[in-house]
Amino acid sequence: MKNIDNIKLKINSTIHDALTIIDNGKLKLAVIVDKNEKLIGIITDGDIRRGLLNGLNLNSSIETIIFKTPTVAKITDTKEDILTLALSKKLHQIPILDNDDRIIGIQEIDELIKPKIKKNKVILMVGGLGTRLRPLTEKTPKPMLKVGNKPILQTIVEKFAEYGYKNIIMCVNYKSHIIQDYFKDGKEFGVNIEYILEKQRMGTAGALSLLKDKPSEPFFVMNGDLLTNINFEHLDDYHTLNGSIGTMCVREYDFQVPYGVVNIEDSKVVSIEEKPIHKFFVSAGIYMLSPNILEYIPKNKFYDMPTLFEKLINENKNIVSFPLREYWLDIGRIEEYRKANEEYDEIFEGIK
């Protein structure tokens, strides 16, 4: 809550007094209290302007322009209660009262909406060579190619931070200095970043064997060449709810055969399907893993995520899929890179 000591007025104050408080304060309002600190009402810039239009002047009393029925919340109300109340009335601020109706502060709704910092680590695989994107990647690692006037990797970092996941580990290899020089320790981007240098190619799972400390919470693993607006908090909740050792994000992929497909049985044509569409689920390169999964990854050895999941499936471990319905694009080829730049502003306009 915001302190209100410097925005309090008594009912006999003038409009000039109220204007001074509103213009100098960050909250852009004044609260009017009685001698017992009980809330009488509030005044905003709009209230003052309406008063001046009705013939009042700067020396007039504020008594006739006080808004005496503001929406308020009690100190005992939960965060969810306050949010529900504010959103239902489209409010940005709510006065908070104690059990004796004395005002004790102003709650700014934006502060409640901001996500809490989560403990879960985010491990980003950003050491690939990006050979299919040459010549663009001859001097720049693929995650640092710009889409929407910023590196792909920056958008990924910002999206995780948006949901409160700020403990990030980057597994780097190819031209790693470019990534490290840009992100440094992450403070400029509101996150904490550590680096793991792969001295040899380790694969998307093998690099996890290089972690200095075993995570204590389920953690994310994501390829550094993806753009998506997935709700990472939903993935976290889904993984926990299902009690999974490993959750794989999957994306539906359609493939249309460009010809009429002839179905044959014992040399006899039994049917013809004209340009049928086959649908598959493919790995989206985003995972949520429980800490004990690290026991299944060999040390200092190339090991890919599909190999890890196959091993877990063979051992009847609880593996679940998380179907992505949100925007997702794997930037592996030139045409996908162009598409990403064409679509970025529309999809990620909230990230500046």
Side-chain angles (χ1 to χ4, degrees):
M1 287 187 299
K2 298 298 182 183
N3 189 288
I4 54 152
D5 288 342
N6 60 345
I7 62 169
K8 290 180 184 176
L9 289 175
K10 299 297 183 182
I11 199 166
N12 59 353
S13 300
T14 66
I15 289 179
H16 180 271
D17 296 330
L19 268 178
T20 300
I21 280 179
I22 292 171
D23 288 343
N24 293 336
K26 292 182 179 180
L27 294 174
K28 302 303 178 186
L29 58 80
V31 297
I32 294 81
V33 297
D34 65 15
K35 62 181 181 181
N36 296 316
E37 295 294 301
K38 290 188 177 183
L39 180 67
I40 296 174
I42 64 173
I43 292 178
T44 65
D45 179 76
D47 298 320
I48 291 175
R49 291 179 189 275
R50 285 187 288 273
L52 295 176
L53 287 174
N54 288 329
L56 300 179
N57 59 55
L58 296 181
N59 293 318
S60 299
S61 168
I62 62 172
E63 186 170 2
T64 60
I65 63 169
I66 298 172
F67 179 52
K68 296 182 179 180
T69 56
T71 298
V72 299
K74 288 294 185 75
I75 188 63
T76 52
D77 289 340
T78 66
K79 169 186 170 180
E80 289 72 22
D81 291 336
I82 297 172
L83 268 177
T84 300
L85 179 63
L87 294 175
S88 68
K89 301 202 173 189
K90 298 181 180 179
L91 299 174
H92 298 289
Q93 301 166 320
I94 289 186
I96 305 296
L97 310 182
D98 65 13
N99 291 328
D100 295 320
D101 292 330
R102 292 188 294 261
I103 183 167
I104 57 175
I106 300 287
Q107 179 64 64
E108 291 194 292
I109 303 308
D110 282 349
E111 290 188 352
L112 292 182
I113 295 174
K114 289 178 182 176
K116 295 180 180 179
I117 296 178
K118 314 283 201 315
K119 293 181 180 180
N120 312 75
K121 292 186 181 296
V122 175
I123 302 173
L124 301 177
M125 300 299 174
V126 294
L129 299 176
T131 53
R132 291 180 298 166
L133 278 168
R134 288 180 179 169
L136 298 178
T137 52
E138 287 180 354
K139 295 183 179 180
T140 304
K142 182 165 59 170
M144 295 302 291
L145 292 177
K146 287 192 175 181
V147 174
N149 294 319
K150 67 175 68 174
I152 298 166
L153 187 53
Q154 183 176 340
T155 295
I156 293 173
V157 167
E158 289 171 344
K159 287 300 290 183
F160 272 108
E162 181 182 321
Y163 290 99
Y165 301 102
K166 300 189 177 186
N167 296 312
I168 294 174
I169 299 173
M170 295 185 182
C171 297
V172 296
N173 180 264
Y174 177 66
K175 297 190 180 299
S176 59
H177 65 281
I178 294 176
I179 295 174
Q180 291 175 284
D181 289 346
Y182 186 87
F183 287 98
K184 299 181 174 63
D185 61 4
K187 287 183 181 178
E188 183 180 339
F189 303 91
V191 297
N192 305 307
I193 298 178
E194 301 174 23
Y195 298 92
I196 292 177
L197 178 61
E198 299 177 38
K199 296 181 180 178
Q200 60 187 29
R201 292 193 66 221
M202 299 291 294
T204 47
L208 300 178
S209 71
L210 303 178
L211 290 174
K212 297 176 183 176
D213 300 306
K214 182 179 178 180
S216 57
E217 309 282 341
F219 58 94
F220 297 89
V221 177
M222 178 171 171
N223 297 344
D225 56 357
L226 303 176
L227 284 179
T228 179
N229 59 0
I230 178 179
N231 185 323
F232 291 110
E233 199 167 31
H234 287 173
L235 173 57
D236 187 354
D237 292 341
Y238 185 87
H239 175 85
T240 302
L241 182 65
N242 283 279
S244 171
I245 188 174
T247 300
M248 175 188 290
C249 292
V250 296
R251 183 78 173 180
E252 190 174 271
Y253 178 78
D254 297 342
F255 173 75
Q256 183 170 27
V257 179
Y259 310 103
V261 173
V262 181
N263 297 310
I264 300 173
E265 291 182 7
D266 297 326
S267 76
K268 183 179 180 180
V269 176
V270 294
S271 66
I272 300 175
E273 296 178 73
E274 186 60 31
K275 299 180 180 179
I277 296 175
H278 296 280
K279 295 185 177 182
F280 310 90
F281 280 107
V282 299
S283 173
I286 307 169
Y287 310 89
M288 190 94 194
L289 308 177
S290 293
N292 55 333
I293 205 171
L294 296 175
E295 300 168 8
Y296 298 87
I297 300 173
K299 300 287 186 182
N300 298 313
K301 180 181 176 182
F302 183 90
Y303 206 65
D304 257 332
M305 201 64 78
T307 306
L308 172 61
F309 271 72
E310 286 173 4
K311 180 180 179 64
L312 295 169
I313 292 168
N314 290 335
E315 295 193 15
N316 293 317
K317 300 300 180 182
N318 187 24
I319 299 294
V320 299
S321 62
F322 183 85
L324 288 183
R325 51 182 176 75
E326 299 89 347
Y327 180 85
W328 175 89
L329 183 63
D330 179 359
I331 306 173
R333 298 172 297 179
I334 293 292
E335 53 265 38
E336 291 155 348
Y337 178 66
R338 290 178 183 145
K339 182 180 180 183
N341 274 291
E342 291 170 0
E343 298 175 341
Y344 187 90
D345 287 342
E346 179 182 353
I347 303 298
F348 298 99
E349 59 182 354
I351 298 182
K352 303 297 184 185

